[in-house]
Amino acid sequence: MNLKNVLSTSLLIAVIGLSPNSFAEDISEQKLTLASCHVKGIRQQVQCGTLAVPENYTKPDGVKIDINIVVLPAIDSSKENLPFMFLAGGPGQAATELAGQIYRGFNEIRKTRDLILIDQRGTGKSHPLQCEDSLELDPYTSIPENISVSDVEQCLSLFTSDLSQYNSENSIRDFDAVRAALGHKQVHIYGGSYGTRAGLVYMRMFPESLKSVVLDSVGPIEVPIGLFGQSADQSFTKLLENCQNEQSCSTQYPDLTKEFATIKQRLSKAPVTVEIDHPRLGTHTSFTISTIKFLSTIQMQLYSMETRTLVPLLIHQAYLGNYKPLAGLIAQGEGGMGIYVGLLYNIVCNEDYPKISTEMKAQDADNNFAKGMSLDMIGLVCSTWPKYQPSADFYQTVKADIPTLIMSGELDPVTPASNGDKSHAHLPNSHHIISKNNAHIVASTPCGINIVNEFLEKQTPKELDESCLAEIPDESFMVGLNGGAATLDTANTMPTEAKE
Amino acid sequence: MMQLKALMVKEFKEAFRDRRALMVAMSMALLMPVMIMVMLKVAIKEAVDNPAVYVKYTGEQHAPKLIKALKDENILSFADVPEDEERNWNERNIELTIPESFAIDMADGKPIELTLRADFNEKSLSSPIRRIKEVVRDHSLLIGYKRLLVRGIDTKLLQPIKLLEQDTSLPSSNAVMISLILGVYLMMAAFMSGLPVAIDSSAGERERNVLEMLLCQPVSTLKIVLAKLSCASAISIISIILMLFLTSVAMNFVDLTKIGATFSIDANTFVILLLLLVPICFLAASLQLLFAFQAKSFKEAQSTVTMLIMAPSFIPFALMLMDDKPAWVEWVPISGQSLLMEDVFKGLPIDWSALLFTSVATIALTVGLVLILAKRLTSEKVVMSLS
């Protein structure tokens, strides 16, 4: 697990900053020409371009940075409908690197609307802030507990730009400048995860640029990013409950809660080291499992319904001493999750972490899943990260009167439905949809996409057809190393490789 | 000039005298947009929608997760078929047999054999069968990936080489079939709507002995031919305009975006299509007159001239099958227009020089045909159909 992964696993949600619309106007008339291009994951041609914006908006003649833009053109070329701008999560995900997924996922919407993807400053090809491979650690032998301040400092030494300008508010100024340069008076925006924070900042700074807003899995300004203790615990507890409610899972894993507690206790004494075949190379390697490695890997699986299916098996096998499923999952995450860690911490350490009081910390850590794991990791990095002061307006509650659709998944480990409620309470023209059998990002299901599509057409957040959400089945789980509904006799003969 | 005018008045009067016959000639323009709309709707439905498929399962209780995966793709159990479709699906008879040992073999990691039984040659079943195969394959792959993953193997090992495709066609040009259909249909209209008039004013007049009278007058045969040509082509042009207009209306009822195509006849496209089709109308009329005069009777004229319609429908298909198109197909009449029309429907910019070339070539050919025809009409053999 390299530093990139370790750092982003502990976090992975989004935040953003905001501030008033005083600047940005002078560049808004700039015209932007797009050229045909290909991006990874899409066979068809799309449109690419860059827009030069000032690094510091108070010094419009100072240093410029190029903002990278990809437009996925609508199938219907009539340009009748306003475009749809996608705000990526993280913070630190590059929207254009998600182009392939968005192209397919938002296919229904792309039929009649252009999709605008912009790499937020500090990500992708917009002056990226990334901790380079020099920090790559072996994800099997090293453990996250050993990451130290000096690793962070080494990463920081790579950055030469004025980090204080890589904040949420400036990102929104960039986005709105792109909107204007593309010649659109208004756009619809979709924010997922941290993208919702960005979206909220956009709503406060440039309300007149937005026709409507979709906030999917909300990280409101009132809830600092990093307070994942309670929500992850809640998401994990529901997973255990759902396993007990499903016949094959409860038969196979009757004591999951106890087993989980046992492993945690075992690992808390000392990390466990086992010998395995390297998941990718096939060579012999030792594999060290620590508390954070174990818990953060599980926490990562809680984000999506697909990976959640593996969690009971993972716990049960680890209890039996077989850590191969864990190694397989870590291999899955190798190569990074496309998070630009530099930007992630630049935003979280300045816009969110300072807002977390000791009291909030204690309350968040009061849980049975990972205690204060996420926050401890953030705290370590933030202790040495350069500081800047977000504008006073940044923490203002957003009350824009724009049609807004808010969506939350009940099983979400990082942006619980209670977050969505907070935003819903302040936004006069909003509606909050909570999907029962959904984790992070409701628009990852065809049903969620259809609701978003209907909202874009009708613009009435309160009168949408949500019936398809009820048809999403309860979660089910992988109950044996070979999958499928294992019968009882075969289950008990499962090979175990306890090697402690 | 006076003579030509008088001849044209005569031809038009004759053509417009029989309103009902004219209406029939125009009916193509009225009916085709409706037909094309229905056709496209059906084609789109086949191409995108996932209509329900009903499968006769045996042993479905052994593999609930697979059955659910199939259900997610709208592949349902025959037990749930609605009454009005029951007969159809009973006949189609797709059977999927799941062995009793499914769960045990799954847990043991042994290969499981399902049997899919159906008439694989039946056209209406090709899409359902493909969908069933895809679901089973994906479901099986997913289990395979997970099995390796939980054994601590990086599943990316299963994809040593990944081919990234970069398609250089324009985003809206995916619907080859649709643009082909539209092209053929406009070309057909140009050929067909003037046809009754052309036959009637040639072979028909000969049988009614009008032609003889006409040729006895002191006018040049060229003028006679030109008058007849103008009349027949005028009618096809009128019907083309009518048809383009109606098609642009009809297209609003078809959601082409579903298949990744965009097409609307705006003023610009309208003019370009008209520019392309008007020379074709002249060519069609002159060809039809030539063949009709060639025939010995009205009946024979009808059959020979009808065969001409093969040309506009056959040439575009032949072009589609040609991988290496020689340069000349771009300006040869009909094939040139057909290629240009394809570009129009794909939303590509128009190659004006090609348009000019093919139009000039078409008109030159028409002039040639007219001259030949004028020459032939001076021969008694042709007039009296003696040969």
Side-chain angles (χ1 to χ4, degrees), chain A residues 57-230:
Chain A
Y57 275 86
T58 56
K59 294 181 194 149
D61 299 322
V63 183
K64 299 266 182 182
I65 53 172
D66 280 338
I67 298 297
N68 182 40
I69 302 144
V70 171
V71 176
L72 310 181
I75 295 174
D76 171 9
S77 54
S78 65
K79 307 267 173 214
E80 264 169 36
N81 292 325
L82 290 178
F84 193 55
M85 187 187 281
F86 180 90
L87 310 183
Q93 272 187 316
T96 68
E97 288 173 9
L98 302 171
Q101 269 166 276
I102 295 169
Y103 188 83
R104 278 177 293 279
F106 286 80
N107 188 37
E108 208 49 48
I109 290 161
R110 195 174 50 84
K111 281 177 182 170
T112 56
R113 292 172 202 280
D114 287 353
L115 299 184
I116 302 174
L117 313 179
I118 308 169
D119 282 343
Q120 179 175 353
R121 52 167 67 196
T123 72
K125 290 182 193 150
S126 301
H127 200 99
L129 302 176
Q130 182 61 293
C131 296
E132 284 310 325
D133 297 340
S134 56
L135 286 179
E136 203 131 323
L137 307 169
D138 183 283
Y140 307 107
T141 51
S142 68
I143 55 172
E145 279 85 344
N146 288 347
I147 286 183
S148 68
V149 171
S150 66
D151 293 323
V152 180
E153 278 163 354
Q154 200 184 337
C155 168
L156 275 169
S157 68
L158 296 168
F159 306 141
T160 49
S161 39
D162 177 5
L163 287 180
S164 70
Q165 296 305 320
Y166 292 79
N167 56 46
S168 297
E169 289 192 336
N170 274 347
S171 310
I172 296 305
R173 293 190 182 101
D174 298 341
F175 293 173
D176 201 58
V178 171
R179 171 201 59 78
L182 286 173
H184 300 299
K185 216 169 167 292
Q186 283 193 312
V187 292
H188 300 276
I189 57 170
Y190 167 91
S193 196
Y194 164 83
T196 62
R197 175 74 66 84
L200 286 162
V201 178
Y202 206 157
M203 290 167 86
R204 181 177 58 73
M205 290 173 74
F206 304 103
E208 67 289 348
S209 299
L210 302 177
K211 182 79 183 165
S212 75
V213 178
V214 180
L215 302 175
D216 189 351
S217 306
V218 193
I221 302 170
E222 296 82 4
V223 183
I225 292 174
L227 288 175
F228 302 148
Q230 291 298 339

Side-chain angles (χ1 to χ4, degrees), chain B residues 141-245:
Chain B
L141 263 182
L142 186 67
I143 295 172
Y145 272 68
K146 283 189 176 177
R147 281 175 173 179
L148 291 186
L149 188 149
V150 298
R151 283 164 177 76
I153 291 168
D154 187 348
T155 54
K156 292 193 281 290
L157 287 178
L158 292 168
Q159 266 188 310
I161 298 173
K162 217 172 171 180
L163 190 63
L164 300 179
E165 293 170 290
Q166 300 196 338
D167 183 348
T168 53
S169 65
L170 283 194
S172 59
S173 56
N174 314 342
V176 184
M177 231 21 221
I178 301 291
S179 54
L180 193 73
I181 291 175
L182 283 171
V184 169
Y185 132 88
L186 286 172
M187 206 84 89
M188 294 265 283
F191 261 73
M192 278 178 76
S193 19
L195 182 132
V197 178
I199 300 180
D200 185 70
S201 71
S202 50
E205 285 198 349
R206 186 165 54 200
E207 272 187 14
R208 292 197 300 272
N209 294 329
V210 180
L211 188 65
E212 251 180 286
M213 289 249 300
L214 208 57
L215 288 169
C216 288
Q217 307 303 319
V219 290
S220 72
T221 50
L222 181 66
K223 282 181 186 160
I224 295 176
V225 173
L226 278 180
K228 290 185 186 304
L229 180 79
S230 327
C231 180
S233 41
I235 293 199
S236 27
I237 292 171
I238 293 171
S239 91
I240 292 270
I241 293 176
L242 190 66
M243 197 164 87
L244 277 176
F245 179 73

Side-chain angles (χ1 to χ4, degrees), chain A residues 298-453:
Chain A
I298 291 184
Q299 187 166 320
M300 278 314 292
Q301 313 313 317
L302 298 177
Y303 280 70
S304 95
M305 296 309 282
E306 191 49 57
T307 50
R308 285 171 71 94
T309 61
L310 297 169
V311 173
L313 178 137
L314 176 76
I315 293 171
H316 182 66
Q317 291 298 321
Y319 172 75
L320 298 174
N322 172 14
Y323 293 100
K324 282 183 179 173
L326 188 69
L329 279 169
I330 288 172
Q332 223 47 22
E334 214 190 351
M337 277 154 304
I339 292 279
Y340 287 80
V341 177
L343 181 82
L344 167 76
Y345 282 103
N346 196 46
I347 285 182
V348 172
C349 288
N350 287 295
E351 296 178 0
D352 293 270
Y353 192 70
K355 289 282 161 185
I356 301 174
S357 64
T358 327
E359 208 176 40
M360 286 159 92
K361 233 180 249 182
Q363 199 201 347
D364 190 57
D366 181 21
N367 66 71
N368 289 323
F369 176 63
K371 307 281 181 220
M373 175 183 76
S374 301
L375 268 187
D376 293 344
M377 185 66 80
I378 299 171
L380 170 82
V381 179
C382 291
S383 65
T384 178
W385 204 271
K387 301 280 182 289
Y388 65 81
Q389 181 65 44
S391 80
D393 293 329
F394 183 81
Y395 298 103
Q396 226 171 280
T397 302
V398 181
K399 294 174 180 164
D401 186 12
I402 301 171
T404 306
L405 174 65
I406 302 170
M407 303 195 287
S408 301
E410 240 176 60
L411 304 172
D412 195 325
V414 283
T415 53
S418 59
N419 282 10
D421 286 337
K422 288 202 171 72
S423 290
H424 175 52
H426 298 300
L427 297 168
N429 192 4
S430 71
H431 179 59
H432 188 195
I433 293 176
I434 301 171
S435 173
K436 178 171 168 271
N437 290 316
N438 241 308
H440 197 50
I441 302 294
V442 178
S444 58
T445 60
C447 174
I449 293 278
N450 284 341
I451 295 175
V452 173
N453 202 22

